[in-house]
């Protein structure tokens, strides 16, 4: 432990060394000490090196406490998404965060996370994220509540993706027997 702590203090430890140290502590049933090592590690590194550390840390914490320390888990996810670049890492992290919230927390928190994700993911993933966001609104709430999300998607997405989302929007309106609305969407 002293050797690992010294390497971290001198900032010569690699991310893998820190993960090994945390695993060593976990095997010895020093869970909180292991989590402290993760905290120190995420402070030492930045993206893309810290991606694996965050993924491991969040998984270990979630499996250890299974939602009993929900506020602390939320804080960890908030720290993780704060500095994530708009790459596939952002997509993965936001979806993981929202699924955790669906499993242990509140549906409205999960919906809000999906909403934030639509702005944080790269351009080429926005259509898929909007579709996931809208699907979650429709399953967790009422389909009518998805209208603002559809409208924002039409405004923010590029022309090709906006056309695709308009077709989905019109189909949803037709499913609600709002034929005039569906026609107006197609006219748009």
């Amino acid at each position: 432990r002293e050797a690992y702590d010294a390497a971290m203090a001198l900032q010569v430890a690699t991310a893998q060394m820190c993960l090994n140290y945390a695993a060593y502590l976990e095997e010895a049933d020093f869970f909180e000490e292991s989590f402290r090592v993760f905290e120190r590690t995420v402070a030492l590194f930045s993206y893309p090196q810290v991606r694996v550390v965050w993924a491991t840390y969040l998984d270990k914490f979630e499996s250890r406490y299974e939602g009993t320390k929900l506020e602390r888990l939320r804080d960890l996810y908030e720290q993780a998404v704060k500095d994530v670049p708009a790459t596939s890492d952002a997509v993965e992290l936001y979806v993981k965060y929202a699924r955790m919230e669906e499993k242990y927390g509140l549906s409205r928190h999960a919906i809000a996370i999906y909403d934030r994700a639509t702005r944080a993911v790269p351009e080429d993933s926005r259509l898929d994220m909007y579709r996931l966001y809208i699907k979650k609104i429709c399953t967790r709430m009422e389909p009518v509540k998805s209208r603002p999300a559809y409208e924002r998607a039409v405004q923010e997405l590029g022309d090709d993706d906006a056309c695709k989302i308009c077709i989905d929007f019109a189909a949803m309106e037709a499913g609600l027997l709002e034929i005039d609305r569906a026609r107006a969407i197609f006219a748009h």
Side-chain angles (χ1 to χ4, degrees), residues 130-147:
Y130 266 111
R131 283 183 169 161
L132 179 61
Y133 170 45
I134 291 166
K135 178 182 173 189
K136 295 298 180 175
I137 291 172
C138 291
T139 58
R140 300 271 179 190
M141 299 175 172
E142 303 170 10
V144 174
K145 302 266 185 184
S146 66
R147 284 180 181 149

Side-chain angles (χ1 to χ4, degrees), residues 63-93:
S63 67
R64 172 78 179 145
Y65 293 111
E66 296 182 346
T68 57
K69 294 192 176 189
L70 187 58
E71 283 303 315
R72 185 170 167 197
L73 187 56
R74 282 181 182 142
D75 288 342
L76 292 176
Y77 272 105
E78 286 297 326
Q79 288 175 31
V81 299
K82 183 178 75 171
D83 295 326
V84 67
T87 62
S88 61
D89 295 342
V91 175
E92 180 183 328
L93 197 55

